[in-house]
Each structure stands twice: as structure tokens, then as C-alpha cells.
Amino acid sequence: MLDLAILGLLQESDLHGYEIRRRLRDSLGLMANISFGSLYPALARLEAQGAVSAIEPGMAPVTGVAMGSLSGELAALRARRSKVVVAKKARKVYRITPLGRELFTRLLEDPSAGDDPRTFTLRLSFARHLAPDVRRALLERRRAQLVERLSEVRSATARNDLDVYARAVVEHTAAGVALDIAWLDGLIAHEGAPQHTSPQSPTAGDTMSSASTSPQG
Amino acid sequence: MLDLAILGLLQESDLHGYEIRRRLRDSLGLMANISFGSLYPALARLEAQGAVSAIEPGMAPVTGVAMGSLSGELAALRARRSKVVVAKKARKVYRITPLGRELFTRLLEDPSAGDDPRTFTLRLSFARHLAPDVRRALLERRRAQLVERLSEVRSATARNDLDVYARAVVEHTAAGVALDIAWLDGLIAHEGAPQHTSPQSPTAGDTMSSASTSPQG
DNA sequence: CCATCACTATATCGCTTCGATACTGCGGTG
DNA sequence: CACCGCAGTATCGAAGCGATATAGTGATGG
């Protein structure tokens, strides 16, 4: 799961660990603070597989891509005024390999490679890399899962041995799942409608929001 | 986290592993299928701590509590017609100890013992065991967390480098968090209103539902 | 009549993830 | 210049997960 996230980010630019974490937090906006205890082992794993390769520190061109927006820009500013060349510390910058790109595609498309909510959210975030039919299949699959889950939760709602609080929880859960389904329906409708290449189709634009798919609370 | 769930269920009746799992699934309605790879180690852990004790198979009175609603009732039926005494197999029935009750209270009340969404959901499900002020504190604490999270996600929404899909995800996430907050507000209001012992206060009843706190999708 | 299926039930293995913690290098501030 | 705090990498132990093994039992059906 982390592998998918990492490869997806590296797809766009070379990054070092810390920055990957930051982007996971606020570019993807989801995936509440992945811990380093997960991140670094994941990077090591991917490197061992040959899916990413580490650009040795010092070799990395200091200009641009590799640095975090915040730290990078500040460092650049400082460099300009204090005329000290910002010799980057022990940063290990990672770059995706062709093999990594293959792996990314596989993780993104193969349903058997994880089907939990987190993975779905991640896949959807990267859905621009998917062919329209695969994308649609992804949405439909998820929808089916949610429909099943909804009926389970609804049956729990029907129980009469629940006190106020337990009941509040299950009802809230059910409502959440229902809204997720509605949201997916919106997305599916968008997929189905003939795709204009023009950025904004007239009816599009506000069907794209609703409730929580559950990428963390 | 599992510990809290297990102790909470054992609070009401003695149970064996399989049945704990079932109740987690459909009594609590949440906590999508806890795997046995988590459950049995957790039970072993609790037993080692002296928080639960295993009633040896055969010693357990076959009448009632220990069996699952389904299997139990069916087994009873069958026993009646086939007059074979259903000598229960290798079932290990667990019972909570006084020390376990202490641990339960601690896990339920101490915020430092886990503050992830799953744990919150669990705590709320067991909120009838909490004193009103502690209960309220629990809700307020969670609300504060969600408010912070919302502002984070909203700032992600403001980014302009997101494609349609990534944007859809973050917006959906934001909407979900907002609804969670609204739901909590409802619950808090209920807590605040002078508590009648009578089951239904006039204005109560439909404020208790909204969106997903995120006990799984 | 027995094979097979589906379900209850316990248990373990290897892997991923998490939370805590430790360490270093550097720039800014008192 | 001493110290604080942040950027950054790294590791450890515990917790949870998914797959898998094992075994007893009632029901289904050729």
C-alpha cells in the first residue's frame, strides 16, 4: 500500500523520504501522517526490488525538484543571501526506475493487490494514470463492496440490544457508507458521460463532493 | 485497541474467540472482520496479564451465555431432537477478571491509551460505562481533533496542482470530516441537555445520525 | 451410505505498519 | 557562543493482517 503511494509520488519527481511523507500528508491530503517506521522500510524494500534507486547525496543537482517546497525555498533564499552553497546533508534522494513504473502500474490496476479502503483512495488519487475502462471498473468494484457493507451495517442497526451510544455509532456508520455510495455514483456518472477534452463541461463541477470514503479521521 | 474491544464484550458475558469476532462484526457493527491473527494473540496477551481467564472446556456450563446466538440456538435445537449431548469441542471460553475490569476502565478513560479513530469509535460504543463528564470530555476531544484535521484537509483542497481525481478525493474527505463534526455536535448537545431518565426526550431522536466517523469501509 | 461441502473453532507464520525514540547537522535567537 | 528547534535518516518492539493448517460436525446429495 505504501509502495503504491511512494511510486505514485516518485512518478512525478525525485524525492527524499521526508518530503514523500510531507506530500502524503498535504498533497494527497489524506493518509494521516505515515510514520517513518513504515516509510523507510518501504523505501529500502523498493530499492532492494530495484523499483527505485537512490541518487547519492552531493550528486543530486541542488536546483529544484528534490527539495521540499518549504525547506527548499527557504534554503534557496538563505543561499542567495548568505552566499554559502547549500551542500545538502545526508539526504537520500530517490528516483523511480522503469521496473518501478511497471510495478506501479501493476499495483494500480491489479485488484488482488490490496482492496482495503486506503488502497482504494490511493488508487483513485492516481486514477489519471488509468485507462477509462479500468478506472470505471475500479469505481464499480468499490461500489459493490460498499453496497454489501451497507447491508451488513443496516442489519446491525436493526438489532434491539444496542444502547443509545452503540446505536448512534452504527447508524452513523451506515449513513456514512450510504453517502460514500452516492459519491461513487457521482464519479461513475462522470466517467460514463461522453468525455469532453475541454476542462469544464457545463453540468460538471459540483457532483464531485459528498461524504467520507474514509481516508482517515 | 483490540484489548479494549475484547474486554468490553466480556464485560457482558463469557465468550470464546470465534464468538468475540462475530460480535465485533455485527453487534458492534463496525470493526470490519478482525482477523484471528490479531484476536488470538490479543487473548493470549490478556490472559498472560491476568485480565481474562480461560474456563476450561467441559467445565463450562453448556447452558447459555458462552455460545453464539446462531450456533448456540441451533445446537440446542439439534440436541433436543437427536438427544446427543453436544459435548463442546476444543472451545476455550474466556471470562473477565476484576483486574480485567480495571484495565477496561483505564483503556476506556485514559486518552493517552490510543487516540486513533478506531479507538474512539470503540470508546463511544462503550460510552454507557463512562461518567457523564468523562463521556463529554471524550466527545469534545474527538471534536477538537476533527476540527484540526478539517483545516488541514481544507488547505489541501486549496492547492491548484491537483487533477480531477485527487481533488475529488480531498474534497470528499473534507466533506466527510465536516459531517463527522456535525454528528459529534449532535451527540454533545444530547449530553449537555438535562438528562431525563425517561427513554425519549421530545426533541431527541433524529439528531443521532449523519456521516462516517470512519469505523471502516 | 458415504463423499463432500460448509461452518465452527483454534492456532501459527511472515509481513506491513505504527509509535517511540535516537541521532546528526544546521540556522536563528538570546 | 550556547542552546533551541527543525530537517532529516534510521531502528526497535509491538500490534495487526492475510493466508494457511487442522479438525470436528451437521447437511446435501449422487
Side-chain angles (χ1 to χ4, degrees):
Chain A
M1 208 223 50
L2 252 189
D3 302 35
L4 177 59
I6 293 171
L7 293 174
L9 288 178
L10 289 185
Q11 198 86 267
E12 291 162 36
S13 59
D14 299 347
L15 295 170
H16 55 95
Y18 206 86
E19 177 63 12
I20 290 177
R21 185 178 128 111
R22 188 192 288 92
R23 303 220 175 173
L24 245 34
R25 174 163 36 76
D26 45 44
S27 276
L28 274 314
L30 41 92
M31 235 80 221
N33 280 348
I34 287 299
S35 89
F36 291 115
S38 315
L39 183 56
Y40 287 113
L43 282 170
R45 203 189 310 149
L46 288 172
E47 193 176 9
Q49 288 172 15
V52 306
S53 65
I55 304 170
E56 282 312 307
M59 298 182 57
V62 198
T63 45
V65 278
M67 23 175 88
S69 37
L70 254 174
S71 63
E73 284 156 22
L74 285 182
L77 273 173
R78 282 188 221 113
R80 235 172 284 140
R81 1 190 127 154
S82 61
K83 75 211 157 203
V84 180
V85 175
V86 191
K88 287 293 145 195
K89 291 152 286 189
R91 276 187 173 180
K92 243 179 168 175
V93 175
Y94 292 93
R95 171 171 297 169
I96 192 169
T97 67
L99 203 142
R101 272 176 237 277
E102 276 178 51
L103 179 57
F104 175 69
T105 305
R106 198 170 65 69
L107 291 176
L108 196 55
E109 295 185 355
D110 186 2
S112 71
D115 66 334
D116 50 309
R118 317 259 305 276
T119 303
F120 167 77
T121 302
L122 220 37
R123 285 203 177 101
L124 186 54
S125 291
F126 293 131
R128 67 173 175 286
H129 297 292
L130 288 172
D133 55 326
V134 183
R135 195 156 53 210
R136 196 188 176 100
L138 171 67
L139 292 168
E140 299 280 12
R141 210 186 316 137
R142 177 69 183 156
R143 207 197 106 97
Q145 284 173 2
L146 287 181
V147 165
E148 202 196 346
R149 168 128 176 96
L150 182 58
S151 80
E152 287 171 14
V153 179
R154 284 234 193 283
S155 79
T157 307
R159 298 177 68 98
N160 59 350
D161 57 335
L162 302 175
D163 66 297
V164 226
Y165 298 103
R167 161 151 278 118
V169 168
V170 295
E171 283 177 3
H172 178 60
T173 303
V177 176
L179 284 169
D180 279 5
I181 292 173
W183 176 63
L184 283 180
D185 285 339
L187 291 178
I188 291 169
H190 272 278
E191 291 296 318
Q195 293 285 19
H196 300 258
T197 346
S198 56
Q200 308 278 4
S201 81
T203 50
D206 64 359
T207 329
M208 295 296 250
S209 67
S210 282
S212 144
T213 298
S214 86
Q216 213 71 251
Chain B
M1 206 225 48
L2 253 189
D3 301 36
L4 177 59
I6 292 171
L7 292 174
L9 289 178
L10 289 185
Q11 197 86 267
E12 291 162 35
S13 59
D14 299 347
L15 294 170
H16 54 95
Y18 205 86
E19 177 64 12
I20 290 177
R21 186 179 127 110
R22 188 190 292 96
R23 303 219 175 174
L24 245 32
R25 175 163 35 76
D26 45 45
S27 275
L28 274 314
L30 42 92
M31 236 79 220
N33 280 348
I34 286 298
S35 91
F36 291 116
S38 316
L39 182 57
Y40 287 113
L43 282 169
R45 202 190 309 148
L46 288 171
E47 193 176 8
Q49 288 172 14
V52 307
S53 64
I55 304 170
E56 282 312 308
M59 299 182 58
V62 198
T63 45
V65 279
M67 23 174 87
S69 36
L70 252 175
S71 65
E73 284 156 23
L74 285 182
L77 274 173
R78 281 187 223 114
R80 237 172 282 141
R81 11 190 118 154
S82 62
K83 75 210 156 203
V84 178
V85 174
V86 190
K88 286 293 148 197
K89 290 153 286 188
R91 275 187 173 181
K92 244 178 165 175
V93 176
Y94 292 94
R95 172 170 298 170
I96 193 169
T97 66
L99 202 142
R101 271 176 236 277
E102 276 178 51
L103 179 57
F104 175 69
T105 305
R106 198 170 64 70
L107 290 176
L108 195 55
E109 296 185 354
D110 185 1
S112 72
D115 66 335
D116 50 308
R118 318 257 307 274
T119 303
F120 167 76
T121 303
L122 220 37
R123 285 203 177 101
L124 186 52
S125 292
F126 292 131
R128 68 175 175 287
H129 298 291
L130 288 172
D133 54 327
V134 183
R135 195 156 54 211
R136 192 184 182 105
L138 170 68
L139 293 169
E140 299 280 13
R141 210 186 316 136
R142 176 69 183 156
R143 206 197 107 97
Q145 283 173 4
L146 287 181
V147 165
E148 202 196 347
R149 168 129 176 96
L150 181 59
S151 79
E152 286 170 14
V153 179
R154 283 232 194 285
S155 78
T157 307
R159 297 176 71 97
N160 59 350
D161 57 337
L162 302 175
D163 67 298
V164 226
Y165 298 103
R167 161 151 277 116
V169 168
V170 295
E171 282 178 4
H172 178 60
T173 304
V177 176
L179 284 169
D180 278 5
I181 293 173
W183 175 64
L184 283 179
D185 284 339
L187 291 178
I188 291 170
H190 271 278
E191 291 296 320
Q195 294 286 19
H196 299 258
T197 345
S198 56
Q200 307 280 6
S201 82
T203 49
D206 63 359
T207 329
M208 295 298 249
S209 66
S210 281
S212 145
T213 298
S214 86
Q216 211 74 248

